Amino acid sequence: MNTFGELLHIVRSRQNASQLVKKIGISYVYLLDIEKGARTAPKDDILLALASNLDFEEGEKELFFDLAARERNCVPVDVSQYILAHTEIIEVVREMKRKDASVEYLKRLKEYMMGEDNGDR
């Protein structure tokens, strides 16, 4: 799947669209426009409401946020919320920027984080 609208359509098709739009407070036409690509991914508040009310399969929620961010040319909202809640991350990213961290370094850091099984995170 290539677009946010395509993924939204697939995930949304698993449930009643009428109930979904009522819960979120958007029109059915607006939802269909997003699914068809006639409108770009919605603002953060609607995106988060959709994410809270859709039945995702494994890996789909992250893809949902990633595709929306790609369309909107921004950081995925789930990531930005996490960063804002953990200001130390901002300091780490700024230090990485100052030191011009290499892609290789970032890959090793990711591998380290993905391999950590202890509760020290």
Side-chain angles (χ1 to χ4, degrees):
M1 127 189 19
N2 298 322
T3 69
F4 174 77
E6 290 171 347
L7 177 62
L8 177 58
H9 177 72
I10 290 166
V11 175
R12 194 265 314 152
S13 295
R14 298 181 195 137
Q15 60 197 94
N16 183 303
S18 301
Q19 291 175 357
L20 177 66
V21 295
K22 279 184 186 177
K23 282 183 191 176
I24 296 170
I26 61 173
S27 74
Y28 184 66
V29 172
Y30 177 64
L31 179 65
L32 291 179
D33 281 350
I34 296 169
E35 289 180 358
K36 291 186 284 185
R39 292 181 184 248
T40 58
K43 299 183 297 182
D44 288 353
D45 58 336
I46 295 172
L47 198 62
L48 290 166
L50 282 166
S52 295
N53 288 283
L54 289 168
D55 298 323
F56 292 102
E57 292 180 0
E58 188 171 335
E60 286 180 334
K61 195 170 197 174
E62 291 81 8
L63 182 58
F64 176 83
F65 288 127
D66 291 347
L67 289 173
R70 187 180 310 150
E71 267 189 26
R72 295 168 47 200
N73 196 30
C74 65
V75 174
V77 67
D78 60 326
V79 173
S80 64
Q81 283 189 329
Y82 185 81
I83 290 169
L84 290 172
H86 300 85
T87 55
E88 300 83 8
I89 294 172
I90 295 170
E91 296 168 20
V92 169
V93 170
R94 283 208 174 110
E95 189 61 26
M96 290 168 63
K97 181 181 173 201
R98 268 192 286 279
K99 292 186 176 181
D100 197 22
S102 70
V103 171
E104 207 46 52
Y105 175 78
L106 295 174
K107 285 180 182 178
R108 287 194 315 270
L109 180 59
K110 179 183 173 186
E111 287 171 8
Y112 171 77
M113 293 301 295
M114 303 284 283
E116 280 286 303
D117 288 325
N118 60 32
D120 293 340
R121 288 191 200 165

